[in-house]
Amino acid sequence: MFTFASNFLRMEWIDNLFFSSGVAQSIIILALVITSGILLSKIRIAGISFGVTWILFTGIAFSHWGLSVESHILHFVKEFGLILFVFSIGLQVGPGFFSSLKKGGLKLNLFALMIVLLGVAVTLVIKYATDLPIPTMTGIMSGAVTNTPGLGAAQQTWLDMQGAQDPSIATGYAIAYPVGVIGIILSLIIIKKIFSVNIENEKRILTISDDENPEQTVKFSVTVTNRALFGKSIKEIKAHFGMDYVVSRVCNTDGKVQIAQANVALTEGSKILVVASRCNRDSITALYGQEHEFRDEEWNLDDNNVTLRRMLVTHKKIHGRSLAELKLGKAFGITVTRVNRAGVDLLAKPDLRLQMGDRLTVVGSPSGLESVSKLMGNSIKQLREPNLIAIFLGIALGIIFGSIPFVIPGIPQPVKLGLAGGPLIVAILMSKFGPRFKLVTFTTMSANLMLREVGISLFLACVGLDAGRSFVDTLVYGGGLLWMAYAAAITVIPLLITGIIARLWAKLDYFSIIGMMAGSTTDPPALAYSGAVTGSDLPAVSYATVYPLTMFLRVLMAQLLILMG
């Protein structure tokens, strides 16, 4: 009797843990879905793995078999996971985002616009060919491009027009979403196969392209032959000409190489070592005289008491201060020649504001370098400490920004960037302008990656658990197979057309193309897949470049389709 009661209680305990509602039950279901999905992601079919997307399919399976989570908990965790993912992406790509706009952001956004408009065109063709209601087609379109804000905008617009919800919008989205995720990733793979892209070759081509980038920082040697500059100091010359450059070292006619202090006077035949952007190279050479062959050994300092050292900015008091404010040359007799930020070399201009994690290249005496090192912090340990204030403040500001309604003439429903677009844009802006407000946004790569992976895993698990409740019934009995075919067309046709044009006509690199394709469909799983396949941050930069405009257009188009219906 005791054994039977014991077994009964044990079974009841298990039943309560997995099938009753509650915090413990929700957490364990989410944990099992994510664990199972990640284990399945190791499987490769024909050499192809869908990576973390398996978490979505695992969630659908769990939900179909009765292991689900309360809807309000599901909604919260899904949105919070998405916010964590896009915010960490924004912090990661922020340092390179604005330079990417100069190097081709307009072109990428035009291709993203093409994908959006082609998707709407395919949706309308299917609608008129099949006579499916426009609310259903709008839901299918939103799912096919994995755009949850578009779904929300369509539902809200229909509610405002009709005074009631149309469940076919959400059902269409649920049926189309897995197809959209698979279709987008398959499109990336197809583009790779069509053009026989070799990832390592692509990286080498990009390295060569970066070497020809007009914004790249370069070193070169110039002999002073301009008579107008004889006897003038470097400080005087730079004050009269607006170009941004750094004179690192000077070799006067006596053959002695020295640090280029601001008051060093140039004479006929002086040689200078210049650090500048490639685009300013010819102008600087024309100003001083003529360029001569650059050799590293030529610029070895004659003073054995002068050395070169690299140091990290880890002191919070330095964060946000400009080089001009610090007056390092006057105070310590040193010269900052370059600043490396997130892998990008920046000119050490007087107005450049330093950020946590910057790596400075400094030339000077050992005592001067030691003093500057203490001032900068130069402690890798301090960089490992998470800056939680910036993360949670940024999330709060992002949600506020994403909730601001933008009124467009002729459209009755205001457009919002939503819980994904707002945090992404704020994260990019914070990484760029945070130092002006003494806000430290630096996170280590490992911390950023952890935040990102946790966010995308929670998001995909919740989407799968939510879609699985009606997925099979609609798929089998409600014409769901045809809906999936329509979704595949809406997903794949615009991506392949645009991807082929971008490669053949615009000669874009594969990394930029797949980042643009993932961003134009606002699809985090595709971005995660792109990063894993390429082992590069370039797809994430392209994704962030097109994401804000795409998010706005996806929400706008979903509302327009409902209004047209």
Side-chain angles (χ1 to χ4, degrees), residues 103 160 258 266 315 398 420 437 439 455 499:
K103 293 193 293 181
D160 292 342
Q258 59 181 313
L266 301 179
H315 201 299
F437 305 97
L439 190 63

Side-chain angles (χ1 to χ4, degrees), residues 506-525:
K507 307 297 183 184
L508 288 182
D509 62 273
Y510 179 68
F511 295 179
S512 295
I513 290 173
I514 61 176
M516 176 270 296
M517 291 167 70
S520 64
T521 50
T522 64
D523 187 45

